[in-house]
Amino acid sequence: MAQETFIPHLKKTSKNMQFLKNSNRSAVLCALALKKASNRTELASYLNLTRMAISNIVNELRDHAIILEVSSTENEGEMDHIPNGRPPKQLMLADWSISVICINIRRYSVSCMLMDINGNTKPPMTRCLPAHADNAFLMETVIKLIEEARETFPKIPIIGIGVSSIGPLDIYQKHLLNPPDFRNIRDVDIGAPLEERFHLPVYLDNDMNCSALAELYFGAGTACRDLVFLGFSAGVGAGIIMNEKILHGFGGFAGEVGHISINPIGPPCPCGQKGCIELYTRGENILENTGAASFEELNALLDQENPPRFVLNSIKQYIDAMHTLMVAAANSYDPNIMILGDIDIAFIKRFIPDLEEYMNSHMLNHGYKHIKVIPSALAEAASLYGAGSIVLQRVFEGELSLPMPCGG
């Protein structure tokens, strides 16, 4: 009888110990990948773990070639202040030891790329979505791209597939819902077919959320905990990072700032409202309103000594809408920084000083803090990096364990 009551307790204890081990391992991977610590001493301090616990984890990951431990390159003068004159050995994650497949679904194309835990990437592959593209065509394209990537790099171990996509999405059921003007594509089950085909976990999220997370991990936001990413390509959306996590909202639709109406008698928007911000600020509409065939042409027009009056009028309308959008985002989310991306970087850079000054002088807490506005460091690749980042986030948080024997 005693044995029967004791065994469940042992099982529970064993399960709790395994959970703690996996959690600590994930924390070490995160700290090293995001450059929060670089040796055993720093890891112990940053993660508030004992030196023995850190050593056990580091040794295990080193034995499986996930962590590399190398001698410090500090000079002899710096070593004089270290006991025994020996600096701690530096730790780094081995390139391509933990890797993911990144898929980015845009309005007119699908891209695929391999990325590792250090942010290294292989050259992306892109396929266009023709006007007749439907659900089957989309999924066939995604599957073919993944198969091609795995065949090209068969020795790279893959732990998961991340998909960043235009929305709206059901990120929990991994479904693409009904994006406006998206060929003949709507109500697509993204997750189940890919998981069944490749036997890997699949994660789906909005492209702006993915871009924000990519900037946090590998781009312009690595020194921040709270940021807003504003993207202006085929639509306008925001990815919001709060305390280093994506703000999803109850249904996963947080960040749809492009459909804030700023002109109730303005032009109709596909969402059903009038005068939505994205009608004035998304990339496609900027080119259409200025009559430019490309942002390169538009930049050239704006660099002229006397740009055409109608171009200046269109740009003023764009700037006015951006002022409203950015003040609203600053008041709503109170970020450390605001990142502008998913649009021609040379174009957006010329307006950043004005946008930053206006936002900081008109937001509710003006005079008490300053929000820096910067262009995306990852440019148009942000959402593709972000697709991989949502898989790595699961690794860092312990939700996705490494394959055996490393994950055991």
Side-chain angles (χ1 to χ4, degrees), residues 10 15 18 23 39 123 225 276 283 291 297 312 359-360 401:
L10 281 178
K15 182 177 180 180
Q18 186 61 47
S23 177
N39 57 57
R225 297 179 62 86
C276 287
E297 180 180 322
L312 294 179
M359 178 186 68
N360 280 284
S401 298

Side-chain angles (χ1 to χ4, degrees), residues 117-346:
I117 194 168
N118 291 318
N120 298 314
T121 62
K122 297 298 183 182
M125 301 173 291
T126 300
R127 300 288 183 272
C128 293
L129 291 176
H132 67 269
D134 57 11
N135 293 7
F137 188 97
L138 173 65
M139 291 309 299
E140 288 171 7
T141 301
V142 171
I143 288 170
K144 288 178 180 177
L145 283 169
I146 294 174
E147 289 177 340
E148 185 176 344
R150 300 193 77 178
E151 290 169 3
T152 305
F153 303 101
K155 295 184 179 180
I156 293 180
I158 303 297
I159 63 167
I161 300 171
V163 182
S164 66
S165 176
I166 61 173
L169 309 169
D170 183 334
I171 62 174
Y172 305 109
Q173 297 300 318
K174 305 172 189 177
H175 278 236
L176 186 152
L177 301 178
N178 58 340
D181 303 320
F182 190 31
R183 307 309 198 191
N184 298 309
I185 300 169
R186 58 188 54 83
D187 301 321
V188 188
D189 183 357
I190 300 289
L194 296 184
E195 290 175 339
E196 182 178 351
R197 182 65 170 260
F198 297 106
H199 306 289
L200 290 167
V202 175
Y203 303 96
L204 172 71
D205 212 327
N206 178 275
D207 52 359
M208 295 298 99
N209 290 340
C210 291
S211 295
L213 192 64
E215 296 287 351
L216 178 75
Y217 285 173
F218 305 111
T222 55
C224 298
R225 297 179 62 86
D226 305 279
L227 65 85
V228 170
F229 179 95
L230 295 176
F232 305 92
S233 184
V236 175
I240 303 111
I241 301 293
M242 305 293 288
N243 197 25
E244 300 184 345
K245 297 184 184 297
I246 298 172
L247 177 65
H248 283 115
F250 176 73
F253 298 110
E256 291 292 348
V257 296
H259 295 288
I260 298 172
S261 175
I262 57 174
N263 183 5
I265 59 173
C269 180
C271 76
Q273 296 194 102
K274 292 183 178 181
C276 287
I277 282 179
E278 78 165 34
L279 297 177
Y280 306 97
T281 58
R282 71 179 183 177
E284 292 178 346
N285 288 7
I286 295 169
L287 295 178
E288 181 179 346
N289 294 340
T290 57
S294 66
F295 277 103
E296 184 178 22
E297 180 180 322
L298 178 55
N299 286 326
L301 286 172
L302 293 173
D303 287 334
Q304 292 178 2
E305 185 174 349
N306 294 302
R309 174 60 58 183
F310 77 93
V311 171
L312 294 179
N313 289 339
S314 296
I315 292 298
K316 183 181 183 306
Q317 190 177 54
Y318 160 73
I319 293 298
D320 288 344
M322 285 290 290
H323 286 162
T324 301
L325 171 60
M326 293 176 65
V327 169
N331 288 339
S332 299
Y333 306 117
D334 190 28
N336 293 118
I337 61 170
M338 197 169 295
I339 302 172
L340 308 184
D342 208 28
I343 194 171
D344 184 85
I345 297 300

Side-chain angles (χ1 to χ4, degrees), residues 29 66 94 96-100 115-118 157 159 392 395 402:
L29 291 171
I66 293 175
W96 301 105
S97 59
I98 299 173
S99 308
V100 299
M115 183 175 83
D116 77 355
I117 194 168
N118 291 318
I159 63 167
L392 294 178
V395 175
L402 301 182

